[in-house]
Amino acid sequence: MISYGKQTIDESDVESIIEVLKGDWLTQGPFVEKFENDLNNYFGSKYSTAVSNGTAALHLTALALGWQKGDIVITTPNTFLATANSILFVGATPDFVDIDLQTYTLDPNLLEEKIKLYLSRGQKVKAVIGVDYAGGACDWKELRRIADKYDIQLINDNCHALGTSYYSSKKYAIKYADIVTQSYHPVKHITTGEGGAILTNNKEIDNKLKCLRSHGITKKPEKLNENHGPWYYEMNELGYNYRITDFQCALGSNQLKRLDEFVEKRQFIALKYDNAFKDNDNLIIPKVRNYIKHSYHLYPLQIKFEKLKIDKKKFFLKMKEKGINLQVHYIPIHLQPYYMKKFDFRSGAFINAEKFYKLEFSLPIFPTMNEKDCEMVIKSLNEVCDGKS
Ligand SMILES: *Cc1c(COP(=O)(O)O)cnc(C)c1O
């Protein structure tokens, strides 16, 4: 069975972990700091905090930015649940803005309209989380302009877009957003098993994140109210255990070295798919703006099922029979029963995201896919489209 995503682990990855296992530190040792430095070098951030997963990265972001009950935080419905759940973790109020069908990300025009609507009711939007869907990028120049104009915190949930270029820069994420969150789950571009990080250029926020990552504990003399001796620590804020292990970070550093190579392989497969499907009127290949170099965490293909003799569910099952396990990214978050019940979101509220969900399937794409796998996917998909099987 060939699936939509998979990690790439080689002998050097295995060795990088074994080396750490034989050493003195298994957690919070030198490899955590090394990985954080490597992330800063690659992504252009001043500081980063590696944590146990991408969801923890989002949760700590919400805490460090001070979101609380009554604060309105806006994101896209076309993302993984964790993006929006991070708003709920701290008791703030989530809202959504529909996607633009050119980038499949937050539509800046609709965002500005929504901010103005809140203002007209005497309410201020606290923060916006943009999500660089599939390996494309949001319209960050516009999002930054809006964030500055209305004094709004701007976050990039960057989990899909490691190695993406925006206006020729792979360091774009922290250039535009105040905080960038990443995940290193095995389906993402690079992996640490479970893992994630928060990138920022703000030292104060970074200090807060590092404290919150480990129970809210600090030993820094300048932060202490009292000091009973060398063993003494204080908790001045409520934190969590969101630490990542040293051996995971050794793996992360080794994977990061190969990120560009991984992205090139993904781009190669995407080009094959593009060429195979671009002239088929029943299919819409992922659109990419000319100022973006897509990194293809996903290959989201839209299929016009109403023109085919087969519906989405049957299509999925037929592909599975042929050994291809498709996925769908994403079920719009506002349609999740929890969100509908708690916040009164309705079906039809964000029509582009809903339309996209109806048409979208993510095709298999990962660096170890070979040309034969790729051709098999293309052939199977064409056969199922044509009703030949
Ligand atoms: C994967 C992902 C997350 C969550 O990351 P985990 O490491 O699985 O917790 C959050 N947001 C987006 C957009 C993701 O793709």
Side-chain angles (χ1 to χ4, degrees):
M1 186 69 69
I2 177 166
S3 199
Y4 81 97
K6 195 183 165 188
Q7 69 274 17
T8 308
I9 298 289
D10 71 6
E11 230 8 80
S12 75
D13 290 319
V14 175
E15 276 162 24
S16 71
I17 296 170
I18 290 172
E19 193 193 323
V20 179
L21 289 176
K22 289 177 178 165
D24 290 333
W25 301 89
L26 289 190
T27 188
Q28 297 305 101
F31 286 94
V32 176
E33 218 175 297
K34 180 183 185 308
F35 184 44
E36 290 171 344
N37 286 332
D38 292 344
L39 291 172
N40 290 334
N41 284 334
Y42 189 95
F43 296 104
S45 46
K46 284 200 183 129
Y47 311 102
S48 53
T49 301
V51 293
S52 49
N53 56 65
T55 306
L58 284 158
H59 185 189
L60 292 189
T61 296
L63 289 168
L65 291 178
W67 304 350
Q68 52 188 329
K69 196 168 168 8
D71 287 338
I72 299 153
V73 180
I74 292 177
T75 190
T76 166
N78 186 34
T79 182
F80 183 54
L81 284 167
T83 314
N85 287 353
S86 69
I87 305 164
L88 306 186
F89 291 159
V90 293
T93 305
D95 201 350
F96 300 97
V97 161
D98 207 357
I99 57 169
D100 157 14
L101 284 176
Q102 302 301 311
T103 62
Y104 321 110
T105 63
L106 272 184
D107 182 330
N109 295 320
L110 297 177
L111 174 64
E112 191 160 13
E113 271 174 32
K114 181 149 253 174
I115 292 165
K116 284 184 182 162
L117 180 70
Y118 273 115
L119 280 176
S120 73
R121 297 192 216 137
Q123 288 178 290
K124 195 177 165 309
V125 172
K126 176 92 172 175
V128 170
I129 313 173
V131 178
D132 286 340
Y133 176 76
C138 297
D139 186 349
W140 286 107
K141 285 179 193 263
E142 261 305 280
L143 294 183
R144 185 69 255 171
R145 183 191 66 77
I146 293 167
D148 288 341
K149 182 169 172 188
Y150 299 95
D151 184 29
I152 289 170
Q153 298 167 339
L154 186 59
I155 296 92
N156 182 344
D157 182 347
N158 190 233
C159 295
H160 292 194
L162 312 189
T164 298
S165 288
Y166 178 83
Y167 288 98
S168 308
S169 175
K170 288 178 189 160
K171 300 181 173 174
Y172 72 94
I174 199 60
K175 184 171 168 198
Y176 293 97
D178 304 311
I179 289 200
V180 173
T181 64
Q182 298 183 342
S183 162
Y184 315 117
H185 181 279
V187 296
K188 311 289 160 96
H189 288 93
I190 61 168
T191 192
T192 57
E194 296 280 357
I198 310 117
L199 282 50
T200 180
N201 288 336
N202 184 318
K203 182 150 184 53
E204 208 176 306
I205 289 195
D206 184 65
N207 284 340
K208 232 179 194 169
L209 290 166
K210 293 209 162 82
C211 177
L212 291 167
R213 162 174 75 179
S214 199
H215 310 281
I217 286 173
T218 185
K219 284 186 110 171
K220 287 195 171 145
E222 71 275 15
K223 298 259 177 189
L224 300 177
N225 292 301
E226 294 178 36
N227 196 342
H228 304 170
W231 66 88
Y232 188 71
Y233 58 82
E234 268 180 10
M235 175 187 140
N236 291 306
E237 270 178 290
L238 181 61
Y240 296 82
N241 180 355
Y242 282 164
R243 295 186 303 258
I244 186 169
T245 64
D246 239 32
F247 48 96
Q248 285 175 290
C249 287
L251 175 59
S253 285
N254 203 55
Q255 288 257 307
L256 188 58
K257 281 192 229 157
R258 276 145 51 231
L259 174 56
D260 288 343
E261 181 194 314
F262 292 165
V263 168
E264 275 170 34
K265 292 204 168 132
R266 288 173 178 273
Q267 288 165 338
F268 180 76
I269 296 162
L271 186 63
K272 286 209 168 292
Y273 285 154
D274 280 350
N275 287 333
F277 302 134
K278 68 177 189 293
D279 296 323
N280 187 332
D281 289 337
N282 297 325
L283 304 175
I284 305 170
I285 61 169
K287 296 186 180 80
V288 184
R289 292 267 167 101
N290 58 10
Y291 51 79
I292 290 168
K293 249 187 122 186
H294 206 289
S295 63
Y296 294 100
H297 162 57
L298 304 172
Y299 188 91
L301 184 71
Q302 292 174 78
I303 303 170
K304 299 178 189 168
F305 294 104
E306 84 278 1
K307 290 205 186 169
L308 304 179
K309 290 199 191 76
I310 187 166
D311 65 17
K312 185 163 180 160
K313 203 162 152 186
K314 287 211 187 89
F315 196 103
F316 181 91
L317 294 171
K318 284 274 178 207
M319 289 296 281
K320 192 144 189 179
E321 273 173 30
K322 290 171 176 291
I324 297 160
N325 199 11
L326 298 172
Q327 254 301 350
V328 176
H329 298 90
Y330 285 97
I331 305 164
I333 295 186
H334 68 284
L335 299 182
Q336 291 294 347
Y338 185 90
Y339 280 83
M340 290 184 99
K341 272 190 217 136
K342 199 158 172 161
F343 301 101
D344 213 19
F345 291 116
R346 312 253 160 113
S347 155
F350 305 104
I351 46 171
N352 286 347
E354 291 174 35
K355 184 178 165 208
F356 187 69
Y357 167 57
K358 287 202 176 94
L359 305 186
E360 196 268 352
F361 271 128
S362 300
L363 305 192
I365 191 161
F366 47 88
T368 53
M369 244 182 107
N370 59 33
E371 238 161 289
K372 235 177 78 201
D373 296 331
C374 196
E375 275 155 23
M376 199 267 279
V377 174
I378 292 167
K379 182 162 165 279
S380 304
L381 196 130
N382 282 332
E383 282 171 5
V384 175
C385 276
D386 295 343
K388 268 201 228 134
S389 52

